[in-house]
Amino acid sequence: MRPLPRSLRGLTVVFLALFLTVTALAGFGTFFATASMVRVLVDERIESESETLVPKGTTPDRGELSRHIVEMARQRDTGDLGVLLSDAQGNPIVGNVRLNRELPLGYSSLGRDDRIEGLSAGRVWVREIGGGMRLAVFAETEPVDNYFAMRRRIYFAGFGAIVLVVLAGLLAFRRLVGKRIDAVRQTAESIIEGDLAQRVPMPGDGGEFDQQAGAFNRMLDRIGQLMGEIRNVSNDISHEMRTPLARLRNELALLEQSAAAEPVRERVAMARMQADELLGMFSAMLRIAEIEDGSRRAGFRPLDMGELVAEIVEMVQPVAQERGQRVLMERADEAKLVGDRQLLSQLLVNMLENAVRHTPSGTRIRVSVAREAEAVMLVVTDDGPGIPASQREHVMRRFGRVERAGQAGGQGGGHGLGLPLMEAIVRLHRGALALEDAGPGLRIVARLPV
Amino acid sequence: MERNFTGHVRMSLQILLVEDDSHLRRQLTEQLGHFEHEVQPAGDGQEALSLLGRRPFDAVVLDWMLPTMDGVTLLREMRGQGMTMPVLMLTALGQTLDKVEGLEAGADDYVVKPVDPLELNARLNALVRARRTTEQPSDTIAAGDIVISPSRLMVWRGGQPLALSQTEFRLLLALARDAGEVVTRPMLIERIWGQDFETTTNIVDAHIRQLRVKLLQHGDDPIATVRGMGYVLRA
């Protein structure tokens, strides 16, 4: 069993339950303690008055006692008391009170039901005083009529007000805390979604929440700064490596063209192509960095994806045909969106080349562009070997390639940056890229919001 | 099917090279010199402007990132003074917006650094050639026994009409515009599809093979492959 709930809602409920219980107990406790104290005092008084009338151990004379009783009722300090002398059968002899029931011996309470004029609550002490007589002495327990009911109302109003104030305060507090926590959570989620510029809104009052939001935002700034530094380092490396690599590549290319290279031309060509591949890898890294930086959004223009897809399919078709594959245009809705034409062409080229390069001869590659309510769905499906679910996340990472039994790493080409580049392009357009199982084969889905 | 590129260059161009990085300036001067061009190096925009005022150039290779006067300012100044020679700009990778700005400011072409001298040479030749041919516009373009009518989307080889797909037509036209010169793969991609992309398969080569099949129906193969560079259509 958990000792305490950890959620804000659970804590609120537990606190409220405890608070209500304690308040109710305190209210009832005070109420009944006061009532019982009044009762004890009244009991002491009626006992003492009764004993003044008939001292203990004496048997009074009936006539004299009657006279005393009448007299007592006239006196100022005892005028509020009721006295009743009755015989053994309960028939009244003398007194200023009439009763509709027989009273038990000893102390008991009186209420409105006893229909005693001017008494809504009271106490009575009944004792046998010898000679077959009973003496009952009454007193009110309320200083004014309906005092009990009034007191009850005061208690309800007072404690009720406390409960209301605390409840309202608690709910307001809960809302406030909940709202702040929500703001932090929403910021965190936007960042997970890729919007790294999101920050927690600051109330600006210098309070704890303000300080916490500030600290959280400074932490995000710092993380952003560190990420930027790492990216800068890898971009710097790419830039720095490209220049000498390009010089090497250019030397090889010039050598390849020269007549003197005739005996080793094949091998020079091989070396030049390897240098090209390396340059391509660095270019892809820098390209991804440029896309991720988001500045290309400034150049977005309206375009029709359906048209673009048809063009790229025609472009890739001959390569597929030479490899014994077929590219089928399955659906090409008119799909207007605002984007970067060159990058979206690159995305389509990559999606199709990816399918062409990683599937065997005889594969059917199906392409579709579907216009949905809020997005254009770009889907390339092949019936090739696919990518196991366990590896899909891995291949989306930079330099993540599919590992297949019996296939040496790196074979099948590619620098492992194709999918990250595609994802960067899709994300620039605020969309999402997903790899799915086409059973058999792979399905790449790019969802581009319109 | 492949022929070796002979390396001989018909055009010897007067080129102004504006590049602030002395190492790259020296390297490009030397490499363009291999193609028998005469290269005049300049280290900044002011020097470039004074050189331009003194003698004519066939083309300008302009680094976009220059100290004191940047590429776009220099280019606007040149165009403002009525200089119409082709300008090829050098941009850093990942500076797409610079590229767009440059083309809008009147640059004719661009090459992304690090510069491949063969690519740079091919593009410079193509730019100068395009300037010279537009001075005498004609409806058809001829290369050897191939005649192309861009306005009518028709092609003939030895008088026989050829049925080409749209892409094949654009490919042949792209080669014919610089017949006798190497047209590189990136240039072909730009000319056929109107933009550049990176490809990881031999997309251009596959289209060339399709085109060759159709051309071979009416003669020998007029397209030579230049290894590591691109293709030449026999003039």
Side-chain angles (χ1 to χ4, degrees):
Chain A
M1 209 183 87
R2 282 190 310 166
L4 259 184
R6 297 285 162 84
S7 71
L8 207 50
R9 174 196 292 264
L11 279 174
T12 310
V13 168
V14 167
F15 173 79
L16 265 184
L18 275 174
F19 173 74
L20 286 177
T21 311
V22 170
T23 312
L25 280 177
F28 285 114
T30 330
F31 188 85
F32 286 110
T34 328
S36 126
M37 201 129 87
V38 169
R39 203 176 60 203
V40 167
L41 287 171
V42 170
D43 283 359
E44 271 171 11
R45 184 172 174 224
I46 54 180
E47 186 181 332
S48 115
E49 291 297 339
S50 179
E51 278 173 0
T52 310
L53 218 49
V54 182
K56 251 185 193 156
T58 59
T59 309
D61 172 69
R62 192 166 162 165
E64 200 179 335
L65 182 59
S66 305
R67 223 177 31 250
H68 257 127
I69 290 170
V70 173
E71 200 176 296
M72 209 180 119
R74 286 204 201 107
Q75 275 170 11
R76 196 171 184 271
D77 60 341
T78 48
D80 62 325
L81 289 173
V83 182
L84 179 66
L85 184 67
S86 51
D87 63 13
Q89 282 73 48
N91 300 315
I93 299 166
V94 66
N96 53 3
V97 176
R98 286 283 169 275
L99 270 177
N100 54 4
R101 60 172 176 134
E102 198 179 330
L103 291 168
L105 283 173
Y107 296 98
S108 59
S109 292
L110 295 168
R112 210 174 285 277
D113 294 343
D114 291 307
R115 294 174 193 281
I116 299 169
E117 202 189 313
L119 183 141
S120 55
R123 294 287 285 174
V124 61
W125 188 39
V126 184
R127 65 194 252 246
E128 302 215 310
I129 50 170
M133 291 179 294
R134 283 182 177 192
L135 179 65
V137 180
F138 304 78
E140 280 191 300
T141 45
E142 292 186 321
V144 290
D145 280 352
N146 291 322
Y147 174 68
F148 182 82
M150 211 154 75
R151 215 157 55 102
R152 200 168 47 191
R153 250 182 280 136
I154 290 168
Y155 267 69
F156 270 108
F159 281 93
I162 292 172
V163 169
L164 279 181
V165 166
V166 171
L167 194 71
L170 187 69
L171 289 179
F173 188 71
R174 213 202 122 184
R175 233 182 100 115
L176 183 72
V177 173
K179 236 169 86 177
R180 298 302 309 162
I181 291 177
D182 233 39
V184 174
R185 187 184 52 76
Q186 277 177 7
T187 306
E189 277 182 2
S190 309
I191 285 167
I192 293 166
E193 288 296 306
D195 185 0
L196 300 179
Q198 271 297 330
R199 292 294 178 266
V200 183
M202 308 256 293
D205 54 9
E208 285 84 355
F209 286 127
D210 216 28
Q211 290 175 16
Q212 192 230 28
F216 195 84
N217 288 345
R218 283 198 303 281
M219 178 188 77
L220 291 175
D221 291 344
R222 183 84 184 109
I223 291 173
Q225 192 192 335
L226 289 173
M227 277 177 60
E229 277 168 20
I230 291 172
R231 207 179 297 135
N232 283 344
V233 167
S234 60
N235 290 348
D236 286 350
I237 291 173
S238 303
H239 266 302
E240 290 304 314
M241 295 288 286
R242 267 161 55 87
T243 315
L245 194 57
R247 230 178 288 146
L248 173 70
R249 186 253 171 225
N250 290 345
E251 286 301 325
L252 288 169
L254 288 171
L255 179 62
E256 191 186 346
Q257 305 302 329
S258 77
E262 189 52 58
V264 288
R265 202 183 299 280
E266 282 300 322
R267 297 178 64 182
V268 174
M270 284 277 271
R272 192 258 309 152
M273 280 189 267
Q274 280 165 17
D276 277 340
E277 260 172 47
L278 277 171
L279 274 172
M281 189 171 89
F282 287 126
S283 304
M285 282 186 62
L286 291 169
R287 202 170 287 266
I288 290 172
E290 189 207 0
I291 296 166
E292 280 181 346
D293 136 68
S295 58
R296 287 190 69 146
R297 286 203 184 106
F300 277 14
R301 299 274 179 279
L303 56 96
D304 181 1
M305 275 313 274
E307 216 173 83
L308 200 61
V309 170
E311 196 175 297
I312 304 298
V313 165
E314 207 214 318
M315 177 176 170
V316 179
Q317 192 72 265
V319 181
Q321 275 171 10
E322 287 184 356
R323 290 171 176 245
Q325 299 156 327
R326 269 196 302 162
V327 182
L328 305 169
M329 191 73 221
E330 216 173 39
R331 178 175 173 183
D333 292 359
E334 187 185 286
K336 294 229 163 67
L337 58 80
V338 178
D340 186 311
R341 191 182 176 89
Q342 191 196 347
L343 287 181
L344 290 172
S345 303
Q346 183 73 60
L347 168 70
L348 289 162
V349 169
N350 279 29
M351 282 171 94
L352 282 166
E353 285 194 329
N354 198 61
V356 166
R357 285 201 355 251
H358 296 293
T359 58
S361 173
T363 302
R364 281 194 332 152
I365 298 162
R366 289 172 291 148
V367 186
S368 84
V369 187
R371 174 65 219 257
E372 290 188 356
E374 281 162 6
V376 174
M377 305 296 286
L378 212 61
V379 186
V380 174
T381 313
D382 66 61
D383 53 6
I387 298 177
S390 59
Q391 285 193 38
R392 275 178 217 147
E393 204 179 317
H394 170 71
V395 298
M396 295 290 278
R397 276 189 233 133
R398 291 182 192 188
F399 308 112
R401 300 179 186 85
V402 187
E403 285 156 30
R404 285 205 184 93
Q407 188 179 319
Q411 208 236 316
H415 33 54
L417 290 169
L419 278 167
L421 179 68
M422 290 186 233
E423 193 177 30
I425 295 173
V426 173
R427 280 196 175 205
L428 181 77
H429 292 82
R430 302 183 200 282
L433 187 76
L435 301 182
E436 292 171 5
D437 188 7
L442 180 70
R443 180 184 300 126
I444 305 184
V445 183
R447 184 181 186 278
L448 301 167
V450 289
Chain B
M1 194 154 294
E2 284 185 2
R3 281 181 216 160
N4 286 330
F5 178 50
T6 51
H8 97 265
V9 172
R10 282 144 294 260
M11 282 195 284
S12 174
L13 304 176
Q14 304 284 316
I15 296 168
L16 176 64
L17 169 68
V18 194
E19 167 62 62
D20 61 310
D21 181 277
S22 60
H23 183 82
L24 183 59
R25 194 166 61 226
R26 214 170 28 245
Q27 197 188 26
L28 283 177
T29 307
E30 188 197 321
Q31 284 169 339
L32 286 174
H34 283 312
F35 301 100
E36 292 166 27
H37 300 310
E38 198 176 299
V39 183
Q40 172 66 59
D44 61 54
Q46 286 304 338
E47 193 185 344
L49 274 180
S50 75
L51 283 165
L52 282 163
R54 255 180 272 156
R55 68 181 179 94
F57 289 95
D58 294 312
V60 178
V61 176
L62 176 58
D63 185 13
W64 208 237
M65 299 276 280
L66 286 173
T68 63
M69 184 190 274
D70 64 3
V72 71
T73 315
L74 175 58
L75 181 54
R76 291 218 171 100
E77 184 67 38
M78 281 172 60
R79 296 298 189 227
Q81 292 183 19
M83 299 179 196
T84 57
M85 78 280 275
V87 172
L88 186 149
M89 61 171 171
L90 304 180
T91 67
L93 187 83
Q95 304 295 320
T96 311
L97 297 177
D98 283 357
K99 199 169 79 185
V100 173
E101 181 193 39
L103 293 176
E104 279 170 0
D108 297 86
D109 201 356
Y110 61 90
V111 165
V112 175
K113 288 189 199 176
V115 182
D116 175 354
L118 296 167
E119 181 79 26
L120 182 60
N121 177 52
R123 284 179 187 262
L124 283 171
N125 284 335
L127 285 178
V128 173
R129 176 179 289 264
R131 279 299 147 91
R132 289 178 185 167
T133 50
T134 48
E135 284 158 15
Q136 42 206 287
S138 73
D139 181 49
T140 58
I141 295 168
D145 56 353
I146 296 169
V147 177
I148 307 172
S149 166
S151 59
R152 286 192 284 160
L153 296 174
M154 298 269 285
V155 181
W156 297 266
R157 180 155 201 211
Q160 305 268 5
L162 294 181
L164 301 184
S165 74
Q166 203 185 332
T167 308
E168 288 159 355
F169 182 83
R170 283 195 217 152
L171 177 55
L172 185 61
L173 187 61
L175 289 167
R177 286 228 155 104
D178 286 296
E181 295 283 340
V182 179
V183 187
T184 64
R185 286 184 181 81
M187 285 166 80
L188 285 173
I189 289 180
E190 278 172 30
R191 288 183 185 185
I192 301 169
W193 291 290
Q195 53 201 320
D196 54 348
F197 0 77
E198 300 273 309
T199 72
T200 49
T201 57
N202 47 351
I203 285 179
V204 174
D205 308 282
H207 283 280
I208 289 274
R209 277 191 281 273
Q210 282 196 343
L211 177 61
R212 269 180 176 148
V213 169
K214 292 193 177 168
L215 290 174
L216 282 168
Q217 289 168 357
H218 301 284
D220 62 350
D221 184 4
I223 301 171
T225 306
V226 184
R227 300 173 49 118
M229 277 194 69
Y231 297 93
V232 182
L233 181 68
R234 197 169 54 209

